[in-house]
Amino acid sequence: MFILTKIADLVQIAPAQFEKHSRVAIENNINAKYANRVIQKIGLCICMYDLLWSSEGLIGHGTGLVNVNVEFRLIVFRPFKGEALFGRISSATPEGLNIRTEFFEEIFVPFKELPDGCEFDHNQQTWTWVVDGAPMYYDKNESVRLQVIDEVWHDQRPESTSEEAVEKAKKISPYSVRGTMMKEGLGCCIWWD
């Protein structure tokens, strides 16, 4: 679920941060830039894990910023295919279930990946799994277990510079996970306890 990713970058330390120890200033700048951001084909960055290397700082001409080349590792959320995840149901639609974890909300289980015998109740906006005539509900905020089957990446660069294209690019999530609940032991945790 979590991996370490090695990255090299240029960090700029502002004069207001000179009173801090250089390691702390570098870590603060890296976390400000990467934490809670998605890097394409890498995953959702959580925070800096450790600093591997840093160059001597060079003062930029006319800005007063200190430029430091750094190499560091980040903790990244990127579940692998086949991994089991725990989450909570955030909403249900006729297309499937939207699942969230404590820090990630872009998990989707399509209706085709729900067990055979599942039906969508339009009045209650919930999915129901009918087993031997007894309904079992996928209620909102219910704790569930799912298996990752795929990940979906969207490049958020707008196709043009118009405001419409920029807003459309912002609405699409850059990274989402697709899951399944068709195997035994998957679905609402309360069913299997």
Side-chain angles (χ1 to χ4, degrees):
M1 181 179 333
F2 295 101
I3 59 172
L4 289 177
T5 299
K6 185 174 165 183
I7 294 180
D9 199 357
L10 175 75
V11 172
Q12 294 185 316
I13 301 171
Q17 296 177 327
F18 288 169
E19 63 191 35
K20 297 177 185 174
H21 190 275
S22 60
R23 186 176 185 86
V24 173
I26 289 170
E27 185 174 344
N28 289 347
N29 279 290
I30 289 170
N31 281 328
K33 183 174 182 178
Y34 288 98
N36 203 24
R37 302 273 196 279
V38 172
I39 299 176
Q40 287 292 314
K41 305 297 182 185
I42 293 177
L44 173 66
C45 299
I46 305 298
C47 66
M48 186 179 110
Y49 180 72
D50 62 356
L51 183 64
L52 301 173
W53 174 84
S54 66
S55 69
E56 298 228 355
L58 298 172
I59 299 174
H61 179 70
T63 62
L65 298 173
V66 174
N67 299 308
V68 182
N69 288 311
V70 294
E71 212 171 84
F72 56 93
R73 290 189 296 178
L74 286 172
I75 298 173
V76 176
F77 172 75
R78 185 176 182 185
F80 58 87
K81 291 178 184 173
E83 182 175 4
L85 294 179
F86 287 97
R88 293 196 176 274
I89 298 173
S90 57
S91 66
T93 65
E95 289 79 38
L97 293 169
N98 293 303
I99 312 291
R100 62 175 161 54
T101 65
E102 295 292 326
F103 57 90
F104 190 70
E105 296 183 359
E106 299 297 330
I107 303 172
F108 183 69
V109 178
F111 72 92
K112 292 179 181 177
E113 294 298 331
L114 294 173
D116 292 335
C118 280
E119 301 168 353
F120 186 71
D121 184 345
H122 289 278
N123 294 333
Q124 294 183 1
Q125 292 294 302
T126 187
W127 280 92
T128 307
W129 183 27
V130 181
V131 180
D132 298 328
M136 297 167 55
Y137 297 97
Y138 290 94
D139 291 324
K140 187 174 180 178
N141 294 322
E142 190 71 46
S143 183
V144 294
R145 185 180 297 118
L146 63 117
Q147 186 176 29
V148 176
I149 56 171
D150 198 14
E151 46 188 8
V152 180
W153 300 93
H154 288 105
D155 190 356
Q156 287 192 303
R157 286 181 287 184
E159 295 166 0
S160 69
T161 56
S162 70
E163 282 188 36
E164 267 183 42
V166 171
E167 288 303 312
K168 182 181 175 188
K170 286 181 182 178
K171 289 180 183 175
I172 299 172
S173 175
Y175 175 56
S176 60
V177 174
R178 290 172 125 0
T180 184
M181 292 185 187
M182 290 186 75
K183 294 183 180 175
E184 194 172 295
L186 302 178
C188 292
C189 295
I190 197 167
W191 300 345
W192 306 105
D193 288 342

